Amino acid sequence: MMIAGCGAAAAADLATATAPAAPADAPNTQSPWQIRLRALGVITNDSGRVDGIAGSGLSSSNSVIPEFDVSYFFTDNIAAELILGTTSSKIYGKGSIAGLGEVGKTWLLPPTLTLQYHFTDFGAFKPYIGAGVNYTVFYNQSGKSADSLDVKNTFGVALQAGFDYMFDQHWGANLDVKKIFLRPDFDATVGGANVSGKAKLDPWLVGAGITYRF
């Protein structure tokens, strides 16, 4: 009986020794690339001036546009985001020049690059903050009560906060808010007179949409 028991124990030890080791956990192969598609509300600050005209002011129309962005994650926490979209804006006179009504219209192309910090301690809820730079190109400009309108391309500073709520490894929902400090100079011709000034757009960009992480 003792011999049989020893034999069984030796067989068990041999089986244990020769059994293949359990595979190690597979490494995380998630891509660093992420894209989003949002509906974006562009809400401008109704402020500005025409040089040399006391009490003058300006306002710009708000809009809702589709917006696409691309993010690259350097680490789990640090990412860069580039947003792409375009919108039009009507410019109105205010204050002492309110009688001009709609001064003109311009299209804006405002690519914005931010560096973000993503918080990773909340499970599927992934908030982030960011800051960066904006360069806005004004194109396809036309005057209405003004004979001509030329808003100058300009840089701006962008601040950002938002979150993704991930349904699985790839798909999620996103809410994002940006504040862009954007104050372009402009030239215009009104009634044959050349005028210039500054438009203080300083828009809020409020977006909601879907996230896809490759």
Side-chain angles (χ1 to χ4, degrees):
M1 294 294 294
M2 182 177 296
I3 293 174
C6 290
D13 290 342
L14 181 60
T16 301
T18 57
D25 291 339
N28 184 3
T29 58
Q30 190 170 34
S31 168
W33 292 99
Q34 177 177 278
I35 59 173
R36 297 190 187 92
L37 183 64
R38 301 186 183 109
L40 188 69
V42 182
I43 305 168
T44 59
N45 175 32
D46 289 338
S47 184
R49 70 174 192 277
V50 177
D51 296 338
I53 302 179
S56 62
L58 299 169
S59 67
S60 300
S61 61
N62 302 326
S63 60
V64 178
I65 61 170
E67 177 264 319
F68 177 75
D69 75 67
V70 180
S71 298
Y72 184 86
F73 283 78
F74 302 102
T75 70
D76 288 342
N77 301 106
I78 305 298
E81 178 193 81
L82 176 66
I83 72 166
L84 301 169
T86 189
T87 184
S88 63
S89 181
K90 295 179 180 179
I91 302 170
Y92 300 89
K94 287 178 59 180
S96 61
I97 61 170
L100 291 175
E102 183 184 334
V103 176
K105 179 180 179 180
T106 182
W107 281 81
L108 299 81
L109 180 65
T112 303
L113 180 65
T114 60
L115 186 65
Q116 303 169 331
Y117 184 86
H118 290 252
F119 300 88
T120 56
D121 301 327
F122 304 100
F125 178 66
K126 301 184 181 299
Y128 57 86
I129 55 175
V133 64
N134 161 272
Y135 184 73
T136 297
V137 176
F138 297 88
Y139 68 99
N140 198 20
Q141 304 183 61
S142 60
K144 190 166 184 181
S145 59
D147 303 316
S148 65
L149 177 66
D150 181 19
V151 185
K152 309 298 184 181
N153 301 342
T154 190
F155 284 97
V157 174
L159 301 177
Q160 177 184 34
F163 68 85
D164 292 300
Y165 189 88
M166 302 304 295
F167 305 123
D168 56 31
Q169 184 180 4
H170 298 290
W171 291 99
N174 175 259
L175 180 65
D176 183 270
V177 178
K178 295 182 182 70
K179 177 68 172 179
I180 298 179
F181 297 92
L182 186 65
R183 301 180 178 185
D185 296 320
F186 68 87
D187 295 320
T189 304
V190 182
N194 296 326
V195 298
S196 60
K198 184 179 288 291
K200 297 182 181 179
L201 300 177
D202 292 349
W204 288 95
L205 308 182
V206 182
I210 56 173
T211 298
Y212 184 79
R213 180 76 180 266
F214 290 93

